[in-house]
Amino acid sequence: MGLSDIKDRIAKAEAEAGRAAGSVELIAVSKIQPLQRVEAVLDEGHRVFGENRVQEAQGKWPAFKERYDGVSLHLLGPLQTNKARVAMELFDAIHSVDRPKLAHALARLAQELGHCPELFLQVNTGEEEQKAGVMPADADAFIKECRDLDLSIRGLMCIPPVDETPSLHFSLLAKIAERNGITGLSMGMSGDFEQAIAFGATHVRVGSAIFGERVYD
């Protein structure tokens, strides 16, 4: 596949959904990818990347940011409260705000630091016990709680169950966002991002289709 192919497919999906060209942001998921692969995508001109772990991003991105202007780094994986400060300073967006304790920590740090990354609230649309995210029935209250903390909510994020039709989950997330006046939807990955775009995704998260299969130690 590759970066240009994915961008072409996104453009086609935007057009088929009647969406404006360029309305969907591609997050290249670079977790556990060799540095040379990430560098190759940077050299192609792409600047929006996603990481799952704060510690891995700390070891990878400061040097890249010094060499490449305009990098936007998104945290996609779970965030421990004790790493919230580091995440606030390293990432431009956090897609995994999933519980009140974390929201309160981010709000406190935002006041202290005078800035805050874009925030996406993670909704556990499949109500899976092993997965992070607020339950759909609790999403409205959690959105209100975050807003009461003066947190600006950029969007909602979901990761559909692997054995269920993703469009059902994309539709559910879009409905929760719409009734709460939220415009950002972080949904869709390598295998289903075209479906996500049809349901209004503003951010899609694509890794292996751009970089190749991940290399694990």
Side-chain angles (χ1 to χ4, degrees), residues 79-135:
L79 175 59
Q80 296 174 320
T81 307
N82 63 357
K83 293 183 178 173
R85 179 184 293 274
V86 176
M88 293 272 283
E89 294 171 342
L90 181 61
F91 291 94
D92 301 285
I94 297 171
H95 291 237
S96 49
V97 182
D98 61 355
R99 61 198 186 279
K101 182 181 179 182
L102 177 58
H104 281 263
L106 294 173
R108 187 170 60 251
L109 286 164
Q111 293 293 326
E112 179 185 330
L113 299 172
H115 70 87
C116 187
E118 289 189 341
L119 300 178
F120 292 75
L121 308 186
Q122 184 171 352
V123 181
N124 186 349
T125 55
E127 301 184 21
E128 298 173 275
E129 289 184 7
Q130 78 281 10
K131 192 172 285 182
V134 63
M135 294 297 171

Side-chain angles (χ1 to χ4, degrees), residues 1 4-14 190 193-194:
M1 196 52 68
S4 61
D5 293 315
I6 296 298
K7 287 187 172 181
D8 287 346
R9 287 171 59 187
I10 288 173
K12 183 181 178 183
E14 286 172 338
S190 290
F193 66 83
E194 281 120 333

Side-chain angles (χ1 to χ4, degrees), residues 29-206:
V29 182
S30 49
K31 66 175 183 180
I32 319 179
Q33 290 290 351
L35 294 181
Q36 62 268 29
R37 290 187 186 177
V38 180
E39 189 170 23
V41 174
L42 281 160
D43 286 338
E44 285 188 71
H46 195 70
R47 290 293 181 268
V48 185
F49 292 83
E51 291 283 341
N52 266 39
R53 297 181 182 276
V54 174
Q55 191 168 350
E56 182 184 349
Q58 271 184 298
K60 181 188 299 182
W61 283 100
F64 277 143
K65 283 190 168 187
E66 283 187 12
R67 292 173 51 202
Y68 296 91
D69 291 334
V71 168
S72 178
L73 193 58
H74 295 238
L75 177 63
L76 307 176
L79 175 59
Q80 296 174 320
T81 307
N82 63 357
K83 293 183 178 173
R85 179 184 293 274
V86 176
M88 293 272 283
E89 294 171 342
L90 181 61
F91 291 94
D92 301 285
I94 297 171
H95 291 237
S96 49
V97 182
D98 61 355
R99 61 198 186 279
K101 182 181 179 182
L102 177 58
H104 281 263
L106 294 173
R108 187 170 60 251
L109 286 164
Q111 293 293 326
E112 179 185 330
L113 299 172
H115 70 87
C116 187
E118 289 189 341
L119 300 178
F120 292 75
L121 308 186
Q122 184 171 352
V123 181
N124 186 349
T125 55
E127 301 184 21
E128 298 173 275
E129 289 184 7
Q130 78 281 10
K131 192 172 285 182
V134 63
M135 294 297 171
D138 301 324
D140 293 357
F142 187 46
I143 291 166
K144 182 181 185 302
E145 182 173 1
C146 289
R147 285 172 167 164
D148 288 345
L149 291 168
D150 287 331
L151 290 174
S152 178
I153 307 305
R154 172 69 179 90
L156 304 180
M157 185 269 264
C158 74
I159 304 171
V162 295
D163 57 349
E164 294 187 18
T165 304
S167 58
L168 299 174
H169 298 271
F170 299 154
S171 175
L172 174 58
L173 195 72
K175 288 174 182 174
I176 296 171
E178 183 177 18
R179 70 171 178 252
N180 285 282
I182 291 173
T183 57
L185 289 170
S186 172
M187 58 190 195
M189 297 184 284
S190 290
D192 55 26
F193 66 83
E194 281 120 333
Q195 289 181 55
I197 290 169
F199 281 91
T202 57
H203 297 68
V204 296
R205 312 179 301 267
V206 180

Side-chain angles (χ1 to χ4, degrees), residues 13-31:
E14 286 172 338
E16 289 178 351
R19 305 273 303 275
S23 59
V24 178
E25 186 158 68
L26 170 60
I27 302 171
V29 182
S30 49
K31 66 175 183 180

